Amino acid sequence: QVQLVESGGGLVQAGGSLRLSCVASGRTFSDATMGWFRQAPGKEREFVAAISRSSKSTYYADSVKGQFTISRDNAKNTGYLQMDSLKPEDTAVYHCAASTRELGAVVAGTIDYWGQGTQVTVSS
């Protein structure tokens, strides 16, 4: 079992930056592929970014490529999502996710553990 707790969300003006954190407890964090998803009001949850266990591989949704950066620190059991040049359309609840499967499975939404989410609001 893995418990995931996100933090770092908030209200920011367009063009600003935020860094989300996801602290994991329980099962060894380094055994899990990690990802971030988001859900805007009235929309389905969508994939944002994923990172392999060793940080060797990352994958991004086209909508955030070049704007967001995913990373992790296995020694701290923590994953991160650096979000730059934020736009109002990035407003959503952001969820951390972990999977015992490989990167492709996470991208496809096959997730074993979810965090409760953190709200990101970008004002114009």
Side-chain angles (χ1 to χ4, degrees):
Q1 193 76 7
V2 175
Q3 293 79 42
L4 304 172
V5 179
E6 304 96 332
S7 62
L11 174 64
V12 64
Q13 288 188 332
S17 298
L18 283 174
R19 187 173 84 153
L20 305 183
S21 298
C22 173
V23 178
S25 60
R27 184 182 177 140
T28 304
F29 179 65
S30 58
D31 290 343
T33 304
M34 219 206 100
W36 289 91
F37 290 73
R38 67 185 180 185
Q39 187 166 18
K43 295 187 177 181
E44 292 188 355
R45 185 154 52 190
E46 64 173 356
F47 167 77
V48 174
I51 187 167
S52 62
R53 296 174 184 85
S54 65
S55 301
K56 187 173 183 180
S57 300
T58 57
Y59 193 85
Y60 296 91
D62 287 343
S63 57
V64 304
K65 204 171 292 183
Q67 181 189 359
F68 290 4
T69 304
I70 189 171
S71 62
R72 64 191 293 167
D73 185 339
N74 288 342
K76 295 182 178 180
N77 286 350
T78 303
Y80 304 97
L81 185 69
Q82 176 68 41
M83 306 186 295
D84 298 318
S85 303
L86 283 161
K87 311 166 190 174
E89 51 264 43
D90 294 317
T91 294
V93 176
Y94 284 71
H95 294 270
C96 175
S99 174
T100 57
R101 300 168 180 83
E102 301 303 318
L103 199 65
V106 173
V107 174
T110 305
I111 302 298
D112 296 306
Y113 308 104
W114 291 97
Q116 83 289 350
T118 184
Q119 176 71 47
V120 171
T121 304
V122 184
S123 63
S124 57

